[in-house]
Amino acid sequence: MKPDLQRFLTDRVDEITAEVAREVAGRVPAYTHLRPAEISNLVREAIAAYSGACEARAVLPVFRALGASEACAGHDARHFESALRTAARVLVRRTAGAAARLYPPTAEFITIMETAFTAESEIVGAAVDGHRRATRPAVARRIHPLLSNN
């Protein structure tokens, strides 16, 4: 949509990453194991979708894979989703601030924010779905021995 919005946010990716890490650590203490480089890559992907530089569906595989890897590592789905939503709030807040600075509150601003909220919903949904799908085989492996003993 607006390359200047993406550029504005991308130029501040280290600052945004640090804010995401602080917010997640403060709100979801059980979820502080991601390294800054991992968070930064995720923030870059989300910025592309939030700013409209790419369709949200273009970055969904990254977030599905994140969800799957977190499930395989044994991280609780509730903590994972809470951490995602915390990070998403930071990104929406930053996107809104950048859009308000770059564009007057007009229909264009509203369109940008609709794009950001849609991207947020799709990204969180994909990550949670990736976690859920990766968890299914583990559940099946635990249940199978119980059922086969009957």
Side-chain angles (χ1 to χ4, degrees):
M1 180 184 289
K2 290 291 187 184
D4 46 343
L5 177 61
Q6 181 188 18
R7 190 172 30 259
F8 184 88
L9 292 168
T10 302
D11 287 348
R12 290 154 181 80
V13 75
D14 291 338
E15 177 185 317
I16 295 169
T17 297
E19 185 176 348
V20 166
R22 277 192 312 273
E23 289 280 326
V24 168
R27 293 181 188 264
V28 192
Y31 215 89
T32 58
H33 59 275
L34 287 178
R35 296 184 320 263
E38 292 172 309
I39 296 171
S40 180
N41 290 335
L42 296 169
V43 166
R44 285 178 192 282
E45 295 286 346
I47 285 172
Y50 278 46
S51 68
C54 72
E55 294 283 327
R57 69 176 161 254
V59 302
L60 297 184
V62 170
F63 289 92
R64 272 195 198 91
L66 171 67
S69 69
E70 293 302 298
C72 291
H75 296 121
D76 183 272
R78 292 173 307 224
H79 292 154
F80 176 61
E81 184 173 2
S82 183
L84 284 169
R85 292 197 182 282
T86 298
R89 278 191 295 274
V90 171
L91 288 167
V92 164
R93 187 171 57 240
R94 287 301 197 113
T95 302
R101 182 175 181 176
L102 295 171
Y103 316 105
T106 62
E108 189 170 30
F109 175 83
I110 292 167
T111 300
I112 289 168
M113 294 314 303
E114 286 173 347
T115 299
F117 284 122
T118 299
E120 172 193 8
S121 176
E122 290 178 17
I123 286 170
V124 170
V128 170
D129 182 57
H131 193 287
R132 181 183 51 78
R133 287 180 186 203
T135 304
R136 272 195 232 152
V139 170
R141 280 193 305 275
R142 288 193 306 260
I143 292 175
H144 179 71
L146 298 173
L147 296 176
S148 62
N149 288 333
N150 290 330

